[in-house]
Amino acid sequence: MFYLTRRIPITIQPFTRRLSTTSQEAYLEPSTIPGVTCLVLNKPKTYNAISRLMLRNIRESLEAVRQDPSTRLLILRSASPRMFCAGADLAERRSMTPRDVHLFLSTGRETLGVLEELECPTIAAIDGPALGGGLELALVCDFRIARNEAKNIGLPETALGIIPGFGGTQRLARLLGITKAKELVFTARKMSAREAHAYGVVDHLSEAGQTGYERSLLLAEEIVKNAPLALQAAKRSISRSPELSLSSGLDFERACYEPLLGSKDRLEGLEAFKEGRRPVYKGE
Protein backbone atom coordinates (compact mmCIF):
# COMPACT_ATOMS: atom_id res chain seq x y z
CA MET A 1 0.00 0.00 0.00
CA PHE A 2 1.20 3.51 -0.86
CA TYR A 3 0.12 7.00 0.12
CA LEU A 4 -0.55 10.17 -1.80
CA THR A 5 -0.45 13.67 -0.35
CA ARG A 6 -2.48 13.88 2.91
CA ARG A 7 -1.63 10.17 3.33
CA ILE A 8 -4.73 8.85 1.62
CA PRO A 9 -4.15 5.11 1.18
CA ILE A 10 -4.25 3.73 -2.34
CA THR A 11 -3.80 0.20 -3.54
CA ILE A 12 -1.67 -0.27 -6.64
CA GLN A 13 -3.03 -2.83 -9.06
CA PRO A 14 -0.61 -5.18 -10.83
CA PHE A 15 1.11 -3.60 -13.82
CA THR A 16 -0.66 -5.91 -16.29
CA ARG A 17 -3.96 -4.40 -15.18
CA ARG A 18 -2.75 -0.82 -15.42
CA LEU A 19 -2.17 -0.49 -19.14
CA SER A 20 -3.88 2.02 -21.46
CA THR A 21 -7.14 3.29 -19.96
CA THR A 22 -8.77 6.10 -21.89
CA SER A 23 -10.65 7.44 -18.85
CA GLN A 24 -7.36 8.26 -17.14
CA GLU A 25 -5.41 11.46 -17.74
CA ALA A 26 -2.14 9.52 -17.43
CA TYR A 27 -1.55 5.81 -17.73
CA LEU A 28 1.06 3.15 -18.43
CA GLU A 29 1.45 1.12 -21.59
CA PRO A 30 4.23 -1.06 -22.98
CA SER A 31 6.37 0.15 -25.88
CA THR A 32 7.51 -1.90 -28.84
CA ILE A 33 10.81 -2.58 -27.04
CA PRO A 34 10.85 -5.21 -24.26
CA GLY A 35 11.68 -3.60 -20.94
CA VAL A 36 10.60 -0.10 -22.04
CA THR A 37 7.37 1.23 -20.55
CA CYS A 38 5.60 4.47 -21.45
CA LEU A 39 3.93 6.85 -19.04
CA VAL A 40 1.36 8.44 -21.33
CA LEU A 41 -0.25 11.85 -20.80
CA ASN A 42 -3.83 11.74 -22.04
CA LYS A 43 -5.65 15.07 -21.90
CA PRO A 44 -5.59 16.28 -25.53
CA LYS A 45 -8.29 18.98 -25.28
CA THR A 46 -6.00 21.06 -23.04
CA TYR A 47 -2.66 19.92 -24.53
CA ASN A 48 -2.14 17.65 -21.52
CA ALA A 49 -2.43 20.50 -19.02
CA ILE A 50 -1.72 19.24 -15.50
CA SER A 51 -4.81 18.86 -13.33
CA ARG A 52 -5.24 17.34 -9.89
CA LEU A 53 -6.51 14.15 -11.53
CA MET A 54 -3.52 13.98 -13.86
CA LEU A 55 -1.11 14.34 -10.94
CA ARG A 56 -2.93 11.55 -9.13
CA ASN A 57 -2.80 9.31 -12.21
CA ILE A 58 0.91 10.06 -12.72
CA ARG A 59 1.67 9.26 -9.10
CA GLU A 60 -0.25 5.98 -9.22
CA SER A 61 1.52 5.02 -12.45
CA LEU A 62 4.94 5.79 -10.98
CA GLU A 63 4.21 3.66 -7.92
CA ALA A 64 3.26 0.80 -10.25
CA VAL A 65 6.56 1.22 -12.13
CA ARG A 66 8.48 1.10 -8.86
CA GLN A 67 6.95 -2.32 -8.18
CA ASP A 68 7.49 -3.66 -11.68
CA PRO A 69 10.94 -5.21 -12.20
CA SER A 70 10.23 -5.76 -15.91
CA THR A 71 10.40 -1.99 -16.53
CA ARG A 72 14.03 -1.18 -17.28
CA LEU A 73 13.39 2.27 -18.77
CA LEU A 74 10.45 4.68 -18.68
CA ILE A 75 9.47 7.10 -21.47
CA LEU A 76 7.17 10.01 -20.65
CA ARG A 77 5.13 10.94 -23.73
CA SER A 78 1.80 12.22 -25.01
CA ALA A 79 -1.05 10.02 -26.20
CA SER A 80 -1.78 12.58 -28.92
CA PRO A 81 0.63 13.68 -31.66
CA ARG A 82 2.45 17.03 -31.59
CA MET A 83 1.85 17.46 -27.86
CA PHE A 84 3.73 17.10 -24.61
CA CYS A 85 2.40 19.15 -21.71
CA ALA A 86 1.23 22.78 -21.71
CA GLY A 87 1.71 23.26 -17.95
CA ALA A 88 -0.86 23.66 -15.20
CA ASP A 89 -4.56 23.52 -16.04
CA LEU A 90 -5.28 27.23 -15.62
CA ALA A 91 -9.04 26.76 -15.95
CA GLU A 92 -8.96 24.44 -12.94
CA ARG A 93 -6.49 26.74 -11.15
CA ARG A 94 -8.93 29.68 -11.34
CA SER A 95 -11.44 27.74 -9.25
CA MET A 96 -8.91 26.78 -6.57
CA THR A 97 -8.78 28.30 -3.12
CA PRO A 98 -5.36 29.33 -1.71
CA ARG A 99 -5.36 26.07 0.26
CA ASP A 100 -6.09 24.11 -2.92
CA VAL A 101 -3.18 25.81 -4.68
CA HIS A 102 -0.84 25.02 -1.79
CA LEU A 103 -1.89 21.36 -1.85
CA PHE A 104 -1.56 21.21 -5.65
CA LEU A 105 1.99 22.58 -5.51
CA SER A 106 2.96 20.18 -2.72
CA THR A 107 1.49 17.21 -4.57
CA GLY A 108 3.21 18.24 -7.80
CA ARG A 109 6.57 18.63 -6.09
CA GLU A 110 6.23 15.21 -4.43
CA THR A 111 5.09 13.53 -7.64
CA LEU A 112 7.98 14.95 -9.68
CA GLY A 113 10.30 13.84 -6.90
CA VAL A 114 9.07 10.26 -7.29
CA LEU A 115 9.73 10.44 -11.05
CA GLU A 116 13.19 11.87 -10.48
CA GLU A 117 14.09 9.17 -7.98
CA LEU A 118 13.02 6.17 -10.09
CA GLU A 119 15.85 3.67 -10.21
CA CYS A 120 15.45 3.04 -13.94
CA PRO A 121 16.54 5.55 -16.63
CA THR A 122 13.85 7.95 -17.85
CA ILE A 123 13.30 9.88 -21.09
CA ALA A 124 10.88 12.73 -21.84
CA ALA A 125 9.66 12.58 -25.45
CA ILE A 126 8.71 16.19 -26.23
CA ASP A 127 6.56 16.20 -29.37
CA GLY A 128 4.93 19.56 -28.76
CA PRO A 129 4.66 22.43 -26.26
CA ALA A 130 6.44 21.87 -22.94
CA LEU A 131 5.55 24.91 -20.87
CA GLY A 132 5.74 25.62 -17.15
CA GLY A 133 4.92 22.44 -15.26
CA GLY A 134 5.23 20.50 -18.50
CA LEU A 135 8.88 21.46 -18.89
CA GLU A 136 9.37 20.86 -15.17
CA LEU A 137 8.12 17.29 -15.72
CA ALA A 138 10.68 16.86 -18.49
CA LEU A 139 13.49 18.35 -16.38
CA VAL A 140 13.24 15.56 -13.81
CA CYS A 141 13.84 12.93 -16.51
CA ASP A 142 17.36 11.75 -17.29
CA PHE A 143 17.03 12.77 -20.94
CA ARG A 144 14.86 15.16 -22.96
CA ILE A 145 14.33 14.38 -26.64
CA ALA A 146 12.25 16.71 -28.80
CA ARG A 147 10.61 16.60 -32.21
CA ASN A 148 12.74 18.93 -34.29
CA GLU A 149 9.69 21.02 -35.27
CA ALA A 150 8.33 21.41 -31.73
CA LYS A 151 7.69 24.91 -30.40
CA ASN A 152 6.81 26.61 -27.13
CA ILE A 153 9.33 25.08 -24.74
CA GLY A 154 10.02 27.16 -21.65
CA LEU A 155 9.11 28.42 -18.19
CA PRO A 156 6.76 31.40 -18.78
CA GLU A 157 5.55 31.79 -15.18
CA THR A 158 6.99 35.27 -14.56
CA ALA A 159 4.75 36.57 -17.36
CA LEU A 160 1.80 35.29 -15.30
CA GLY A 161 2.94 36.88 -12.05
CA ILE A 162 4.39 33.73 -10.47
CA ILE A 163 7.53 31.57 -10.69
CA PRO A 164 7.94 27.86 -11.48
CA GLY A 165 6.49 25.89 -8.59
CA PHE A 166 7.41 22.27 -9.29
CA GLY A 167 11.19 22.75 -8.92
CA GLY A 168 11.92 24.40 -12.25
CA THR A 169 14.18 27.17 -10.88
CA GLN A 170 16.33 24.65 -9.03
CA ARG A 171 16.61 21.96 -11.69
CA LEU A 172 17.14 24.39 -14.57
CA ALA A 173 19.96 26.13 -12.67
CA ARG A 174 21.62 22.78 -11.98
CA LEU A 175 21.26 21.77 -15.61
CA LEU A 176 22.31 25.00 -17.35
CA GLY A 177 24.07 27.07 -14.72
CA ILE A 178 22.67 30.07 -12.86
CA THR A 179 23.03 32.72 -15.58
CA LYS A 180 21.26 30.79 -18.34
CA ALA A 181 18.53 29.67 -15.94
CA LYS A 182 17.93 33.28 -14.85
CA GLU A 183 17.71 34.43 -18.47
CA LEU A 184 15.13 31.84 -19.43
CA VAL A 185 13.01 32.39 -16.30
CA PHE A 186 13.33 36.19 -16.19
CA THR A 187 12.38 36.57 -19.86
CA ALA A 188 9.64 33.88 -19.77
CA ARG A 189 11.06 32.89 -23.16
CA LYS A 190 9.24 30.28 -25.22
CA MET A 191 11.78 28.43 -27.36
CA SER A 192 11.64 26.22 -30.39
CA ALA A 193 13.09 22.72 -30.03
CA ARG A 194 16.22 23.84 -31.85
CA GLU A 195 16.68 26.81 -29.51
CA ALA A 196 16.09 24.58 -26.48
CA HIS A 197 18.70 22.17 -27.84
CA ALA A 198 21.20 25.00 -28.29
CA TYR A 199 20.64 26.10 -24.68
CA GLY A 200 21.08 22.55 -23.40
CA VAL A 201 17.50 22.15 -22.18
CA VAL A 202 16.92 19.42 -24.78
CA ASP A 203 19.50 16.67 -25.25
CA HIS A 204 18.55 15.34 -28.69
CA LEU A 205 16.37 16.37 -31.63
CA SER A 206 14.51 14.01 -33.93
CA GLU A 207 15.40 13.70 -37.58
CA ALA A 208 13.11 15.19 -40.25
CA GLY A 209 9.87 13.22 -40.40
CA GLN A 210 10.62 11.50 -37.09
CA THR A 211 8.75 12.12 -33.83
CA GLY A 212 10.40 12.81 -30.53
CA TYR A 213 8.98 9.55 -29.26
CA GLU A 214 10.49 7.59 -32.17
CA ARG A 215 13.87 9.19 -31.48
CA SER A 216 13.44 8.33 -27.80
CA LEU A 217 12.93 4.67 -28.66
CA LEU A 218 16.29 4.62 -30.46
CA LEU A 219 18.10 5.84 -27.35
CA ALA A 220 16.03 3.51 -25.15
CA GLU A 221 17.07 0.54 -27.28
CA GLU A 222 20.74 1.39 -26.76
CA ILE A 223 20.25 1.62 -23.01
CA VAL A 224 18.06 -1.38 -22.16
CA LYS A 225 20.41 -3.90 -23.77
CA ASN A 226 22.70 -3.34 -20.78
CA ALA A 227 22.45 -4.86 -17.30
CA PRO A 228 19.51 -3.41 -15.31
CA LEU A 229 21.27 -3.48 -11.94
CA ALA A 230 24.31 -1.77 -13.45
CA LEU A 231 22.10 0.92 -15.00
CA GLN A 232 20.44 1.54 -11.65
CA ALA A 233 23.80 1.75 -9.86
CA ALA A 234 25.20 4.08 -12.52
CA LYS A 235 22.17 6.37 -12.30
CA ARG A 236 22.41 6.45 -8.51
CA SER A 237 26.12 7.27 -8.59
CA ILE A 238 25.94 9.94 -11.31
CA SER A 239 22.84 11.62 -9.86
CA ARG A 240 24.55 12.13 -6.50
CA SER A 241 27.78 13.50 -7.98
CA PRO A 242 26.86 17.24 -8.04
CA GLU A 243 26.31 17.33 -4.29
CA LEU A 244 29.49 15.45 -3.31
CA SER A 245 33.16 16.36 -3.25
CA LEU A 246 35.32 14.31 -5.60
CA SER A 247 36.65 12.23 -2.72
CA SER A 248 33.17 11.53 -1.35
CA GLY A 249 31.89 10.90 -4.85
CA LEU A 250 34.55 8.27 -5.45
CA ASP A 251 33.60 6.57 -2.20
CA PHE A 252 29.92 6.63 -3.19
CA GLU A 253 30.76 5.21 -6.62
CA ARG A 254 32.56 2.33 -4.93
CA ALA A 255 29.57 1.75 -2.66
CA CYS A 256 27.34 1.52 -5.75
CA TYR A 257 29.83 -0.78 -7.49
CA GLU A 258 30.36 -3.35 -4.74
CA PRO A 259 26.88 -4.99 -4.74
CA LEU A 260 27.19 -5.69 -8.47
CA LEU A 261 30.14 -8.03 -7.94
CA GLY A 262 27.87 -10.76 -6.59
CA SER A 263 25.11 -10.35 -9.16
CA LYS A 264 24.10 -13.04 -11.63
CA ASP A 265 24.11 -10.41 -14.37
CA ARG A 266 27.83 -9.76 -13.84
CA LEU A 267 28.56 -13.46 -14.25
CA GLU A 268 26.32 -13.57 -17.33
CA GLY A 269 28.23 -10.65 -18.82
CA LEU A 270 31.55 -12.43 -18.33
CA GLU A 271 30.23 -15.69 -19.77
CA ALA A 272 28.70 -13.94 -22.78
CA PHE A 273 31.99 -12.17 -23.47
CA LYS A 274 33.86 -15.46 -23.25
CA GLU A 275 31.40 -17.19 -25.59
CA GLY A 276 31.18 -14.31 -28.05
CA ARG A 277 27.44 -13.83 -27.70
CA ARG A 278 25.08 -11.12 -26.56
CA PRO A 279 24.38 -11.34 -22.80
CA VAL A 280 20.87 -12.03 -21.52
CA TYR A 281 20.41 -9.90 -18.42
CA LYS A 282 17.61 -10.57 -15.93
CA GLY A 283 18.24 -7.92 -13.34
CA GLU A 284 19.48 -10.43 -10.77
Side-chain angles (χ1 to χ4, degrees):
M1 184 173 287
F2 293 85
Y3 295 89
L4 295 176
T5 303
R6 299 169 63 187
R7 298 191 66 77
I8 300 172
I10 60 172
T11 301
I12 305 299
Q13 299 299 321
F15 174 76
T16 53
R17 295 177 60 189
R18 293 191 52 76
L19 302 181
S20 175
T21 306
T22 55
S23 62
Q24 292 181 306
E25 292 185 0
Y27 57 82
L28 296 174
E29 70 176 16
S31 77
T32 55
I33 301 173
V36 177
T37 299
C38 294
L39 172 51
V40 184
L41 305 181
N42 183 41
K43 199 181 174 191
K45 291 183 179 179
T46 59
Y47 289 88
N48 297 324
I50 302 171
S51 65
R52 286 175 284 196
L53 175 58
M54 178 178 281
L55 278 181
R56 184 160 62 248
N57 291 160
I58 290 173
R59 180 65 178 266
E60 291 169 351
S61 297
L62 293 174
E63 297 293 3
V65 169
R66 289 169 74 173
Q67 296 184 71
D68 175 37
S70 70
T71 294
R72 300 185 180 185
L73 184 145
L74 183 72
I75 297 178
L76 179 63
R77 70 175 185 86
S78 172
S80 302
R82 297 180 182 274
M83 292 186 194
F84 183 66
C85 178
D89 187 330
L90 297 182
E92 182 182 74
R93 177 71 66 87
R94 283 194 294 271
S95 68
M96 289 184 182
T97 65
R99 184 178 180 278
D100 291 335
V101 173
H102 176 76
L103 182 58
F104 179 77
L105 291 173
S106 298
T107 303
R109 176 177 170 177
E110 292 170 6
T111 300
L112 268 63
V114 174
L115 174 57
E116 187 171 40
E117 292 169 9
L118 283 183
E119 290 190 327
C120 67
T122 55
I123 301 173
I126 302 172
D127 271 307
L131 292 169
L135 181 55
E136 289 176 293
L137 262 176
L139 287 173
V140 305
C141 293
D142 297 314
F143 305 98
R144 285 154 297 282
I145 298 178
R147 182 174 61 88
N148 61 5
E149 298 172 347
K151 298 178 181 178
N152 292 325
I153 297 172
L155 298 173
E157 284 87 348
T158 57
L160 299 172
I162 55 175
I163 67 171
F166 286 172
T169 62
Q170 302 305 301
R171 292 187 176 98
L172 194 66
R174 284 161 172 76
L175 179 67
L176 303 182
I178 290 176
T179 301
K180 286 186 176 180
K182 283 180 177 178
E183 180 179 346
L184 293 181
V185 173
F186 291 179
T187 62
R189 185 172 300 156
K190 298 177 183 178
M191 299 174 286
S192 68
R194 294 183 183 277
E195 290 171 325
H197 183 250
Y199 261 95
V201 175
V202 165
D203 300 300
H204 299 286
L205 296 174
S206 70
E207 300 292 336
Q210 183 185 52
T211 67
Y213 174 56
E214 289 167 341
R215 178 65 180 84
S216 296
L217 287 174
L218 294 179
L219 178 60
E221 194 168 25
E222 285 188 78
I223 292 172
V224 295
K225 67 182 181 182
N226 298 312
L229 296 180
L231 291 172
Q232 293 171 15
K235 177 173 177 175
R236 195 177 307 121
S237 182
I238 295 168
S239 295
R240 283 286 306 277
S241 63
E243 63 192 72
L244 300 173
S245 67
L246 178 58
S247 177
S248 297
L250 292 172
D251 289 340
F252 186 67
E253 179 185 77
R254 183 63 178 270
C256 293
Y257 184 105
E258 289 290 341
L260 300 175
L261 293 174
S263 69
K264 293 181 181 179
D265 279 353
R266 175 178 173 269
L267 297 177
E268 165 64 11
L270 293 173
E271 283 298 310
F273 178 79
K274 178 181 176 181
E275 297 170 8
R277 60 174 174 82
R278 182 172 178 171
V280 180
Y281 293 123
K282 299 181 179 179
E284 300 175 352

